[in-house]
Amino acid sequence: MSLLVVGSLALDTVETPQGRADDVIGGAAMYFALAASFFAPVRMVGVVGADFPRSMLDELRRRGIDLQGVEELPGKTFRWTGRYHEDVNVRDTLHLDLGVFGDFRPKLPPSYRDSRFVFLANIDPVLQASVLDQLDAPGLVGCDTMNHWILESRPALEALLDKVGILVINDEEARLLSGERNVVRAAARILEMGPHAVLIKRGEYGVIQFAGDSIFAVPAFPLEEVTDPTGAGDCFAGGFMGELARSGDSSPAGLRRAIVYGSVMGSFVVEAFGPRRLLELTREDIDRRYRQFVSLTDVGGA
Amino acid sequence: MSLLVVGSLALDTVETPQGRADDVIGGAAMYFALAASFFAPVRMVGVVGADFPRSMLDELRRRGIDLQGVEELPGKTFRWTGRYHEDVNVRDTLHLDLGVFGDFRPKLPPSYRDSRFVFLANIDPVLQASVLDQLDAPGLVGCDTMNHWILESRPALEALLDKVGILVINDEEARLLSGERNVVRAAARILEMGPHAVLIKRGEYGVIQFAGDSIFAVPAFPLEEVTDPTGAGDCFAGGFMGELARSGDSSPAGLRRAIVYGSVMGSFVVEAFGPRRLLELTREDIDRRYRQFVSLTDVGGA
């Protein structure tokens, strides 16, 4: 089943303790789509400027990513420059230029309207809601957000959450959204806002899902080196939603498998700068790491 | 099989955001022994002053804990007063009085010398080594330490680590001991120092074990409220070593089961001040939470 994603497409310049990369393609929707494309056909909604490499758009198309919903405008692509600390959970934004993304209003091509699986990457909740309004009958809706919208657009965000099935956020966002420091209480408060599941990303400690009374925790894959953390959360969401769109199975077991696939994709992307590692990845690599993940936490069959 | 533990016995005064408890029994060896006693007979080596409640010593004996190795001296028991922050991973020591523990020199009664399972809780590595010297043929030796010894007694600690099978420390200690910030590299360096397994405790994120090429990660049990974190790491070690002493199975599968039992014991103790929760616990409670732990991370059978 096709999976629709709306969000940012960007050109990133990133410094980490391991080095530096200039003008690599990035953005939440980009990372999401690349990760998800290993699992299901992806439909993308976004905007790029004249400086966005056309070869990269061709590469996305080759991967089965539908770009009918991506506007190509004169002007500059969204640019982000950031520096990660020795503790890779901490980063500084050195420069930000919204470019054509500043006036982004998602417009869905008619061929996208029947999408059943939808992911609203981190953008203004008013725009996220406008995507849902353009869909005939969205089935499973996943959503991300960030501190800025929680603080500045809470009414719009709360209205949106009522229409969201699965919220995917990090631990800091979960605390801010819920007003609770404890993760169990934070999740309970968020589930009262509408979503039937909340996935809380905890960086190097993995992901924890709360869905009804069920809790599922996956550690992060232990890596000797994190070269560039950019996109880890978006690739997690891409692998997660991609596997759900592929299997059509959102039972508790299906959700758990999808969370592990998401964790696999998040663990790959950080091994190199930008999306480089994703671009060389094979389905076999993914399945091998999936098995490693299962054995990492397996008590019974160890 | 009997399990020998050497370490502190204390009277603690603890403040947390949930309240305060005065003069509750504590100390690493105490928490360890209480947790381990659900699994195997425990032999304790330590020292208490005249102010240590005799009723509590009787309670320990009732639980199958052998106190022949616990000296009762005139003078004061080791006392610690601490305050935990809203973020329970952070605590301040407000007051510390070593009392009779200041001159503690572990002396093993002859009946302890055949102990095969041994846990050296956090004390001076010179004293930890002296315990091993008094044993006929220690089999599996577990060991804890802390920043103070890593910084001030590194030669003695390194000499000890060569005789230790399993090192159980927290993430900060692992970084300091190894000089590596990344957990995978830190563990690799520590394994080079002697232990064949290292268990790194990560507070609210659980535990990760490195043993040879095998990595095993368990999240912490998600609790709505942590009332008093004191003793969590020691109860983890107690459940872990206790289960190993019970089963005699230190295969990879046996180690994994023991790590989950350790996590179970750590998750119970924090539910109330001091050792209160441990004292009311049943074996049935333990096995129920063990099953919850398994389901918390189970992909296959979900």
Side-chain angles (χ1 to χ4, degrees), chain A residues 299-300, chain B residues 216 243 246-247 249 251-262 290:
Chain A
V299 186
Chain B
F216 178 55
E243 166 62 13
R246 186 202 65 75
S247 69
D249 177 6
S251 71
L255 282 171
R256 288 179 172 214
R257 268 196 310 274
I259 289 168
V260 177
Y261 275 113
Y290 182 92

Side-chain angles (χ1 to χ4, degrees), chain A:
Chain A
M1 277 270 229
S2 284
L3 167 59
L4 183 145
V5 60
V6 57
S8 59
L9 296 158
L11 293 170
D12 293 340
T13 294
V14 180
E15 280 176 51
T16 83
Q18 271 65 49
R20 179 188 165 97
D22 287 88
D23 296 333
V24 292
I25 60 156
M30 167 68 70
Y31 280 110
F32 180 97
L34 280 171
S37 69
F38 287 92
F39 301 87
V42 178
R43 297 166 170 176
M44 212 175 190
V45 182
V47 61
V48 295
D51 53 352
F52 196 86
R54 290 323 185 244
S55 61
M56 208 43 232
L57 295 178
D58 292 337
E59 174 69 30
L60 295 175
R61 284 191 195 94
R62 266 199 302 280
R63 292 171 177 267
I65 301 172
D66 186 338
L67 301 182
Q68 286 182 71
V70 176
E71 291 178 275
E72 302 180 43
L73 296 182
K76 285 171 72 181
T77 301
F78 177 26
R79 283 175 186 266
W80 176 74
T81 301
R83 182 191 291 141
Y84 289 87
H85 293 224
E86 196 63 49
D87 173 354
V88 293
N89 297 312
V90 184
R91 74 178 189 190
D92 302 322
T93 290
L94 303 179
H95 184 71
L96 192 75
D97 182 355
L98 290 177
V100 294
F101 189 63
D103 296 315
F104 177 52
R105 299 288 174 276
K107 278 186 286 292
L108 269 55
S111 63
Y112 282 17
R113 295 207 179 125
D114 63 356
S115 300
R116 300 277 299 148
F117 291 85
V118 179
F119 190 74
L120 309 170
N122 165 38
I123 51 173
D124 184 335
V126 172
L127 301 184
Q128 290 174 314
S130 79
V131 170
L132 296 186
D133 290 342
Q134 297 174 60
L135 290 165
D136 297 336
L140 188 63
V141 178
C143 177
D144 189 5
T145 189
M146 70 183 290
N147 288 358
H148 176 75
W149 309 118
I150 297 170
L151 291 170
E152 306 298 331
S153 305
R154 186 174 275 269
L157 182 58
E158 291 194 352
L160 175 70
L161 286 180
D162 212 31
K163 300 173 195 162
V164 162
I166 303 178
L167 183 65
V168 183
I169 54 180
N170 69 33
D171 40 12
E172 192 193 337
E173 291 153 1
R175 284 196 201 110
L176 194 64
L177 179 59
S178 66
E180 296 280 357
R181 154 153 216 105
N182 174 282
V183 70
V184 180
R185 288 207 299 267
R189 285 279 297 112
I190 291 168
L191 293 180
E192 287 167 11
M193 298 177 189
H196 52 76
V198 56
L199 273 65
I200 299 177
K201 299 174 285 184
R202 309 163 112 184
E204 62 172 313
Y205 301 110
V207 175
I208 187 163
Q209 174 196 242
F210 296 82
D213 286 341
S214 160
I215 310 180
F216 178 55
V218 188
F221 193 73
L223 292 170
E224 273 199 40
E225 194 158 280
V226 170
T227 298
D228 175 8
T230 311
D234 302 311
C235 287
F236 168 80
F240 169 69
M241 291 291 300
E243 165 63 12
L244 288 178
R246 185 202 66 75
S247 69
D249 176 7
S250 57
S251 72
L255 282 170
R256 287 179 172 215
R257 268 195 310 273
I259 289 169
V260 177
Y261 274 114
S263 303
V264 164
M265 301 312 290
S267 79
F268 276 123
V269 72
V270 303
E271 292 183 339
F273 278 100
R276 197 176 304 164
R277 187 74 179 95
L278 293 181
L279 296 175
E280 67 183 26
L281 215 57
T282 66
R283 181 66 211 206
E284 204 176 27
D285 296 329
I286 294 170
D287 288 328
R288 188 180 316 115
R289 188 159 290 180
Y290 182 92
R291 291 190 298 272
Q292 291 173 319
F293 251 103
V294 170
S295 110
L296 179 66
T297 58
D298 186 28
V299 186

Side-chain angles (χ1 to χ4, degrees), chain B residues 197-239:
Chain B
V198 55
L199 272 66
I200 299 176
K201 298 174 286 183
R202 310 164 110 183
E204 64 173 311
Y205 301 109
V207 175
I208 185 162
Q209 173 196 244
F210 296 82
D213 287 342
S214 159
I215 310 180
F216 178 55
V218 189
F221 192 75
L223 292 169
E224 273 200 40
E225 192 157 279
V226 171
T227 298
D228 175 8
T230 311
D234 302 310
C235 287
F236 169 80

Side-chain angles (χ1 to χ4, degrees), chain B residues 5-63:
Chain B
V5 59
V6 57
S8 60
L9 297 160
L11 293 170
D12 294 339
T13 295
V14 179
E15 281 177 51
T16 82
Q18 271 66 50
R20 179 190 167 96
D22 287 87
D23 297 332
V24 291
I25 60 157
M30 167 68 71
Y31 281 110
F32 180 97
L34 280 172
S37 68
F38 287 93
F39 300 86
V42 178
R43 296 166 170 178
M44 212 174 191
V45 182
V47 60
V48 295
D51 53 351
F52 196 86
R54 291 321 186 244
S55 63
M56 210 42 232
L57 296 177
D58 292 337
E59 174 70 29
L60 295 175
R61 285 191 195 94
R62 265 199 303 279
R63 291 169 179 269

